[in-house]
Amino acid sequence: MSSTAITPSPLPLGRRAKRFMADRPLIPLIILLVILVVILQILRPGIVNERWIANTIKFAIPLAILAGCQTMTMLTGGIDLSVGTVATMSAFIMATQIVNQDPAVAFLLAMMPAVLIGLVNGIGVGVFRVHPLIMTLGTTLIGTGCLQVYQRTVIASGAKIPDFLAWLGTGVTPMLGFALPNALLLFVPLAALIVFTLARTGFGRLLYAVGDNERATRLSGVQYWQVITALYVTSSLLAGITGLLYIGLIKAPSLSLAEPLVLPSVAAAVIGGTSIFGGRGGYTGTIIGALILTVLTTLLTILQMPEGARRILFGLIVLFVTAAYLRIVEDK
């Protein structure tokens, strides 16, 4: 009795393409980014040049750093809505304290709210088990109120943008035939540190473990509250640094300086492949997600859409991209 070997039939082309995308999640993001740039060039010929690239990177970097905060917290199944307030507080305090204080002292004063809010968030979420959404929303409201009170006490002294922050935020340095934004001097080491921390350190592995299965992590002897507290303090410190960079870019201290970046930072992390349920994601995809949103904002501005229509279209595109990306990954 003879037996015939059964050879598996080849997968359909669409299925193979989907599996290829799932194995290499950065590829669809890069393709989308290129498509947006091509559309931009078609709509406004000549816009994609060295100056435009430098400006896009300048505005994408603060968003990418805040999105890094969201990436790390989302890996644990959480979220940090206080990053916008922390960035605004650090920027505003720096701009007002630099008038009468030494730059080093002004920097320390500017970072104090970041450490404090990070500790409160970490203890609230890690020890008292308050949901991260509620906890960070509460500290956002408290921080905003404190900033308004602080603003009244320094309104007579005025504000000043330190020269080194303006240089870092808006300056460019010619190198290898390109005008590289000075902000890359800050962003590249920070991005490398976040990527290395998530991929190569025990703390990074704990973030993934907590998000993947918190109960199993606890049973293995991990001190959950310590991991969460360290996470939110780190997130707030990154947000504080973002605020200092952003005020050097915008050059106009206000009580709502970085607030518009909060929801886009969440969107950049999700578009970059970080799961809101925790346990999956990475910072490299988040960086590309921040670039996608920055280019998309430029595209909508060129189309001269009314603000309402721009917000609607922006939200729809973010939802579509997120749904498509998650479908690719989940069908792996």
Side-chain angles (χ1 to χ4, degrees), residues 3-11:
S3 61
T4 58
I6 300 176
T7 58
S9 59
L11 291 174

Side-chain angles (χ1 to χ4, degrees), residues 141-202:
L141 297 175
I142 294 172
T144 301
C146 291
L147 186 59
Q148 291 176 349
V149 173
Y150 170 78
Q151 188 244 1
R152 294 181 180 181
T153 65
V154 296
I155 193 171
S157 61
K160 174 186 175 183
I161 308 301
D163 293 336
F164 66 91
L165 289 183
W167 176 85
L168 188 64
T170 62
V172 295
T173 300
M175 185 178 298
L176 301 176
F178 295 95
L180 298 180
N182 294 336
L184 288 172
L185 297 174
L186 172 66
F187 177 69
V188 171
L190 275 181
L193 180 61
I194 294 174
V195 171
F196 178 79
T197 298
L198 294 180
R200 300 292 182 180
T201 67

